[in-house]
Amino acid sequence: MNSVLVYVIVLLLYFCILLTVGFLSQKKTKSTEDYHIGGRNIGALVSAFSFVTAYYSSVVIIGGGGFGYKYGMSSIWVGATNVLVGCFLAWLILGKRTRRLSKKLDAITIPDLFGKIYKSQFIKTFSAIIISIFLIIYNVSILKGLGNTFEVILDIPYIWGLIITGAIVLIYVSLGGYFAVVWTGFIQGLIMVFGLIALLFVTLNKVGGLTVGANMLREIDVGYVETPGIWGLNGLLSYALVVSLGVWGMPQMVTRFYSIKSDKAVRIGTLLATVGGAVAIIPYLVGALSRVLYPNITNVDLAIPMLVKNIMSPISGSIFFSAVIAAGMSTFSAVLIILVGSLVRDLAKDSFKINMSNEKELFWCKITNLFVGIISIIIAIRPPGLILALTAFSWAVIASTCLAPYLMGLYWKGVTKNGAITAMVGGTFTSLLWMALKQPFGIHGFIPGIIISFLLIIVVSYLETKLKREKTNFLNAL
């Protein structure tokens, strides 16, 4: 059977499953809480695997492979940090407290949680605007990965890959909301794990094993097998942190903790997310080894698709192709549901005080989902930069805005509203300015953005609390 035909058949079956999940999920979506966080009743297995697929997406599979091709074996440390910091520590430190606090405050979105913790409309509105703008940029990187995969493997124009995958996601998210997002994410997570493992074994077999492949890379350039190698320590550490610690401030991941049904489910989910997340190492390793087979690729984001097309059988290749599409579509859908919440609930309804009934809000959520998705697809037709670079840019700004107020709001009773405001504004503009200056010393804007944000929230909160205490003592002494 023709290999392209095998790919098409497998993909059509996969798309039919996704649309079926969307239609079935529609019956369970009765309220805005159902649409945004699944009624806070999602189990550990589904939460964990949908977290992993929302995290990795085609960005890690295609973009990570591209960085592996460009920088060599040292990029594997990025994948390892994804597993330790982005999965295990994120669930361990954030999971239980986020679930309890969001439920206690009846918060549905990240800006909603901020607004209720700090009792500030400005914080809610500012965070919603930043999330809305920069998640659209992140969406573009996801769609670029999907389009590149279709372009290389099926030999169809890049734009058709965008339209096909984008349209399927828009349909099932509009129909089923969060239930559709997490259940399709669970299915897509299983496909992604099996697809990546298959690619790893086929690649190792093709290059003659890991040792042989590493030695061949060494002959090309010793920097491809050493750490930090040709990447440099500053660049390697910066990217490892932005795509690992940055996850802690990314709304599409944090909402998994809003929706999980119990503390016990969080504990089980921590283990499952860490085990499932271990596949993050594979794209970087395979991408590095692909240079041995294809030393002259100019667009490094095509390294993994080219590898799949040329060395995998039609059946195993179609499984991996589905894995890439699954990962990308899962993240695209997870980001869409966050964007919709920020635009409709946090901005339109709460910030601009547009009155909406439950039914009307659900209607506008579905319309906004279609609108934002189409805008993302249009921008992705001519995307700027590499996939992982786009991801790191958007994550850096969002994390610099959200992470310090989020983490301190969970763990520090002394944090204040003004501390959170200065941290958000200062972190946002520091990361943007640093990246506008073209990342001095090779350090990504995420690092100074996070440092300034945490310094501001700690110093301002401490000084504000101290001044209030001194004023109280002075007045009491009169």
Side-chain angles (χ1 to χ4, degrees):
M1 185 182 294
N2 183 278
S3 60
V4 173
L5 183 59
V6 174
Y7 283 117
V8 171
I9 291 172
V10 172
L11 200 60
L12 286 174
L13 288 172
Y14 167 63
F15 285 162
C16 286
I17 292 171
L18 296 184
L19 291 173
T20 301
V21 171
F23 280 107
L24 292 174
S25 299
Q26 186 179 25
K27 298 177 181 179
K28 301 179 69 175
T29 305
K30 304 298 182 184
S31 67
T32 53
E33 187 177 66
D34 290 339
Y35 189 86
H36 292 296
I37 54 172
R40 302 183 194 273
N41 196 36
I42 308 299
L45 184 62
V46 173
S47 294
F49 272 83
S50 66
F51 176 93
V52 171
T53 48
Y55 181 2
Y56 292 164
S57 79
S58 54
V59 167
V60 168
I61 298 178
I62 302 300
F67 266 49
Y69 186 92
K70 185 175 181 178
Y71 295 115
M73 292 289 195
S74 64
S75 63
I76 294 172
W77 287 105
V78 178
T81 312
N82 291 160
V83 181
L84 176 62
V85 179
C87 292
F88 175 69
L89 290 180
W91 276 73
L92 183 69
I93 294 171
L94 305 176
K96 189 181 296 185
R97 281 180 177 261
T98 301
R99 191 195 76 81
R100 290 177 176 178
L101 187 60
S102 65
K103 186 175 182 179
K104 181 179 179 180
L105 296 177
D106 193 28
I108 289 179
T109 65
I110 292 294
D112 191 22
L113 182 66
F114 289 161
K116 288 175 177 176
I117 289 175
Y118 298 107
K119 297 180 174 60
S120 169
Q121 187 60 48
F122 174 83
I123 289 177
K124 184 173 186 176
T125 303
F126 183 79
S127 60
I129 290 171
I130 294 297
I131 287 168
S132 298
I133 293 171
F134 289 94
L135 278 186
I136 288 177
I137 296 173
Y138 180 39
N139 259 352
V140 170
S141 69
I142 298 164
L143 289 166
K144 185 177 187 294
L146 293 169
N148 287 154
T149 305
F150 270 84
E151 181 183 22
V152 173
I153 294 180
L154 293 185
D155 289 319
I156 67 173
Y158 168 83
I159 189 172
W160 283 108
L162 297 180
I163 293 172
I164 292 168
T165 52
I168 297 293
V169 173
L170 293 181
I171 291 170
Y172 74 69
V173 174
S174 292
L175 289 172
Y178 191 80
F179 284 116
V181 170
V182 293
W183 277 101
T184 54
F186 169 65
I187 295 168
Q188 290 160 334
L190 294 176
I191 296 171
M192 184 181 74
V193 169
F194 286 115
L196 282 171
I197 291 172
L199 177 64
L200 174 63
F201 279 105
V202 172
T203 303
L204 289 174
N205 182 64
K206 186 70 175 180
V207 299
L210 182 59
T211 303
V212 174
N215 287 335
M216 293 172 74
L217 270 179
R218 184 182 295 275
E219 290 176 7
I220 297 172
D221 190 324
V222 69
Y224 288 131
V225 294
E226 292 184 344
T227 299
I230 62 173
W231 200 340
L233 185 61
N234 288 343
L236 177 59
L237 286 176
S238 295
Y239 273 94
L241 286 174
V242 73
V243 296
S244 298
L245 186 60
V247 171
W248 294 27
M250 294 302 292
Q252 73 272 21
M253 263 68 88
V254 172
T255 50
R256 296 303 185 272
F257 306 137
Y258 283 45
S259 63
I260 198 163
K261 64 182 180 181
S262 66
D263 287 352
K264 181 181 178 181
V266 172
R267 290 194 297 272
I268 298 171
T270 302
L271 175 62
L272 294 173
T274 304
V275 173
V279 297
I281 295 170
I282 296 175
Y284 296 99
L285 172 59
V286 169
L289 292 174
S290 67
R291 181 175 285 276
V292 171
L293 302 173
Y294 311 105
N296 299 312
I297 296 176
T298 54
N299 181 356
V300 298
D301 285 336
L302 299 181
I304 295 293
M306 187 174 292
L307 198 64
V308 173
K309 182 179 181 180
N310 292 324
I311 71 170
M312 298 186 84
S313 68
I315 296 296
S316 58
S318 65
I319 293 172
F320 181 80
F321 181 45
S322 298
V324 175
I325 302 305
M329 292 176 72
S330 175
T331 307
F332 185 39
S333 64
V335 171
L336 275 178
I337 207 79
I338 298 299
L339 278 166
V340 168
S342 293
L343 291 169
V344 176
R345 189 176 186 87
D346 298 322
L347 292 177
K349 185 177 180 181
D350 294 340
S351 296
F352 299 121
K353 308 301 180 184
I354 298 174
N355 187 36
M356 297 185 200
S357 63
N358 184 65
E359 292 76 15
K360 192 173 182 180
E361 185 178 342
L362 272 175
F363 170 78
W364 280 110
C365 282
K366 294 178 180 183
I367 295 299
T368 305
N369 168 72
L370 294 173
F371 176 76
V372 171
I374 291 169
I375 293 295
S376 300
I377 292 169
I378 291 171
I379 297 173
I381 292 173
R382 291 185 177 275
L386 294 175
I387 290 172
L388 204 58
L390 281 173
T391 301
F393 172 70
S394 58
W395 281 25
V397 179
I398 295 172
S400 296
T401 304
C402 297
L403 182 53
Y406 172 44
L407 196 58
M408 291 300 183
L410 290 180
Y411 279 95
W412 187 26
K413 292 180 180 179
V415 68
T416 66
K417 178 178 74 173
N418 290 326
I421 290 173
T422 54
M424 277 188 168
V425 176
T428 300
F429 286 101
T430 299
S431 63
L432 286 172
L433 177 62
W434 193 269
M435 288 185 283
L437 294 173
K438 301 189 183 301
Q439 302 179 169
F441 315 110
I443 298 172
H444 198 276
F446 168 80
I447 304 298
I450 286 293
I451 291 173
I452 293 298
S453 183
F454 271 99
L455 283 175
L456 286 172
I457 198 168
I458 292 169
V459 171
V460 173
S461 295
Y462 173 77
L463 291 176
E464 188 177 5
T465 303
K466 183 180 180 182
L467 287 172
K468 285 181 179 179
R469 190 184 304 117
E470 289 176 353
K471 182 179 179 181
T472 301
N473 292 337
F474 174 77
L475 291 174
N476 289 336
L478 294 177

